[in-house]
Amino acid sequence: MRILVTGGTGFTGSHLSRRLLDRGNEVVILDNKEGLFYEELKNRGAEIYIGSVSDRELVEKLTVGCHTVHHLAAAFRQVNLPKQVYWNVNVEGTRYLLDAALNNGVKTFVYCSTCGVHGDVKKEPASEDAPIAPEDYYQYTKYEGEKVIPEFLNRGMKIVTLRPTAIYGPGDPERFLILFKLVNKGRFFMCGRGRAHYHPVYIDNLVDAFQLAADSDRGNGEVYLIADEHYYTLTELVTAIAKVLQIDLKIQYIPFWPVWTAALITEMVYKPFPGIDPPLFRRRVDWFRQNRAFSIEKAKKELGYDPKIGLEEGLSKTARWYREKGYLDS
Ligand SMILES: NC(=O)c1ccc[n+]([C@@H]2O[C@H](COP(=O)([O-])OP(=O)(O)OC[C@H]3O[C@@H](n4cnc5c(N)ncnc54)[C@H](OP(=O)(O)O)[C@@H]3O)[C@@H](O)[C@H]2O)c1
């Protein structure tokens, strides 16, 4: 089958694209940069287009002849972007893709949202019908992207929304790497008491979910939280990372709010320089405060989702990749 993966040279998209190529599909990728895996994916036969999901003509062209669209591209990692950029990519880009997919007879559309639409979870574990309470503009626009979907339902295309939790695994050159690097130093400064819950999803488990969502005839119009089997406190998480890195870790607990205030001030100082990320920002500090613990019962029951890789195995594979790439040396 011909399958379009937006964000397909990014972290999650490159894993999904590899899996689709392994299964003999024709993979078309739309991403706004080449990323770490461009050469590998190209050599394996992926058709790669560098451009934006908010380019209406381009998405119209790339959806022609596709059976499935996996829509993962998002304005996400960069923090200091004008709000309009988040809106254009995460909301309008989603609308253009849905529109083009429908026009071109695409059969299945999988939209990658985020568990972040639920914000700080008050009643754990949260399910898909927990309150929607995004805590930043990125999360807000991911939910606005979800809200575009109903007008495209029941017009001959199956649409499934996945809300992954915190994705980790080999190939992520940013978020978990920061954590691994900090733990690798042997001393970890924990803002707050380290008791907030964190719910990871190992990349291969998530890719399984994308396939289940696309392959089965179930899930039309539904939303699914996708996570690993268990969630952890932050102290448990960094301790587990220390274990796979074989580091004797000292965790130092520091008050949360002074660091959060410093992040707010740093963001304000960087505001006049769009495109340059501040070294400290609230989304990063909020990581220590927000509770993220979710139920995956709906995905298990309706899609047959079964996260096979647990934390220790996932962290070990991730650590091995970071070591091979020399990322933990600096
Ligand atoms: N990572 C997580 O923990 C997490 C958790 C929940 C949900 N998600 C969602 O999962 C998806 C994939 O995340 P990821 O961690 O794999 O992120 P990623 O590595 O940043 O991948 C996303 C890719 O999309 C590209 N992109 C951004 N704007 C684009 C545009 N206008 N047109 C085409 N491509 C564009 C990005 O390029 P640039 O780098 O140049 O922006 C990047 O290569 C996203 O939808 C994200 O919202 C992620």
Side-chain angles (χ1 to χ4, degrees):
M1 284 189 298
R2 189 170 171 84
I3 299 179
L4 174 64
V5 181
T6 73
T9 61
F11 166 42
T12 310
S14 60
H15 280 268
L16 176 60
S17 298
R18 274 191 212 105
R19 178 83 67 89
L20 296 169
L21 288 164
D22 288 344
R23 292 179 89 197
N25 295 291
E26 247 178 71
V27 175
V28 182
I29 289 174
L30 170 59
D31 200 299
N32 68 350
K33 69 162 190 229
E34 293 190 354
L36 285 178
F37 308 104
Y38 179 87
E39 287 303 328
E40 180 204 328
L41 292 166
K42 189 115 196 140
N43 290 338
R44 290 197 54 189
E47 258 176 60
I48 307 181
Y49 296 83
I50 301 301
S52 176
V53 291
S54 46
D55 177 342
R56 203 168 194 153
E57 265 177 49
L58 184 60
V59 299
E60 191 68 43
K61 179 178 126 187
L62 297 187
T63 44
V64 172
C66 286
H67 178 279
T68 300
V69 173
H70 288 283
H71 175 33
L72 285 74
F76 163 49
R77 295 204 184 244
Q78 265 193 293
V79 178
N80 200 13
L81 290 175
K83 284 187 170 178
Q84 195 62 46
V85 176
Y86 288 102
W87 187 268
N88 289 348
V89 176
N90 299 350
V91 187
E92 292 307 319
T94 301
R95 184 188 303 283
Y96 295 161
L97 269 161
L98 281 161
D99 210 22
L102 195 66
N103 287 343
N104 289 312
V106 167
K107 297 281 174 280
T108 308
F109 190 103
V110 183
Y111 171 56
C112 182
S113 181
T114 170
C115 74
V117 303
H118 296 291
D120 182 19
V121 169
K122 305 289 184 224
K123 196 164 169 250
E124 299 176 308
S127 60
E128 290 78 0
D129 50 13
I132 298 297
E135 292 214 340
D136 59 37
Y137 199 68
Y138 153 72
Q139 293 170 349
Y140 169 76
T141 54
K142 292 297 281 188
Y143 186 62
E144 290 297 312
E146 287 190 21
K147 281 164 63 182
V148 173
I149 290 169
E151 68 188 87
F152 293 90
L153 283 174
N154 305 319
R155 290 163 69 186
M157 180 168 72
K158 182 180 103 168
I159 310 174
V160 184
T161 299
L162 302 183
R163 288 182 188 153
T165 55
I167 311 165
Y168 79 104
D172 172 19
E174 287 179 42
R175 294 210 314 179
F176 261 72
L177 177 59
I178 297 170
L179 207 51
F180 269 71
K181 277 184 163 177
L182 291 170
V183 171
N184 202 38
K185 288 189 188 349
R187 173 173 283 195
F188 187 86
F189 291 95
M190 181 79 77
C191 298
R193 290 184 291 179
R195 291 187 196 156
H197 280 134
Y198 194 70
H199 206 156
V201 60
Y202 184 67
I203 186 72
D204 290 0
N205 294 336
L206 176 60
V207 169
D208 289 347
F210 274 100
Q211 284 204 269
L212 288 164
D215 290 354
S216 72
D217 52 4
R218 287 163 286 179
N220 188 21
E222 297 293 333
V223 175
Y224 297 98
L225 280 158
I226 304 295
D228 283 354
E229 192 69 61
H230 301 290
Y231 51 87
Y232 305 88
T233 66
L234 293 181
T235 298
E236 286 168 341
L237 179 73
V238 294
T239 305
I241 295 174
K243 189 173 167 206
V244 302
L245 292 176
Q246 297 179 310
I247 292 286
D248 182 16
L249 183 69
K250 306 260 174 312
I251 303 178
Q252 201 159 332
Y253 294 87
I254 56 172
F256 175 84
W257 289 108
V259 184
W260 191 90
T261 308
L264 173 65
I265 293 166
T266 315
E267 274 182 53
M268 284 157 65
V269 170
Y270 276 72
K271 193 87 193 155
F273 311 105
I276 304 177
D277 280 350
L280 189 63
F281 46 89
R282 282 166 297 168
R283 202 201 300 171
R284 181 156 292 164
V285 184
D286 280 334
W287 185 86
F288 292 95
R289 174 183 61 83
Q290 289 170 343
N291 267 308
R292 288 134 301 183
F294 297 93
S295 162
I296 52 171
E297 288 312 306
K298 184 179 174 192
K300 281 181 164 180
K301 204 166 139 211
E302 296 183 14
L303 296 178
Y305 174 62
D306 173 24
K308 294 190 180 63
I309 304 213
L311 190 67
E312 192 167 339
E313 186 182 354
L315 290 178
S316 301
K317 288 179 181 220
T318 310
R320 197 174 318 133
W321 188 78
Y322 288 152
R323 285 213 169 101
E324 277 166 18
K325 294 283 165 201
Y327 285 160
L328 295 179
D329 300 340
S330 53

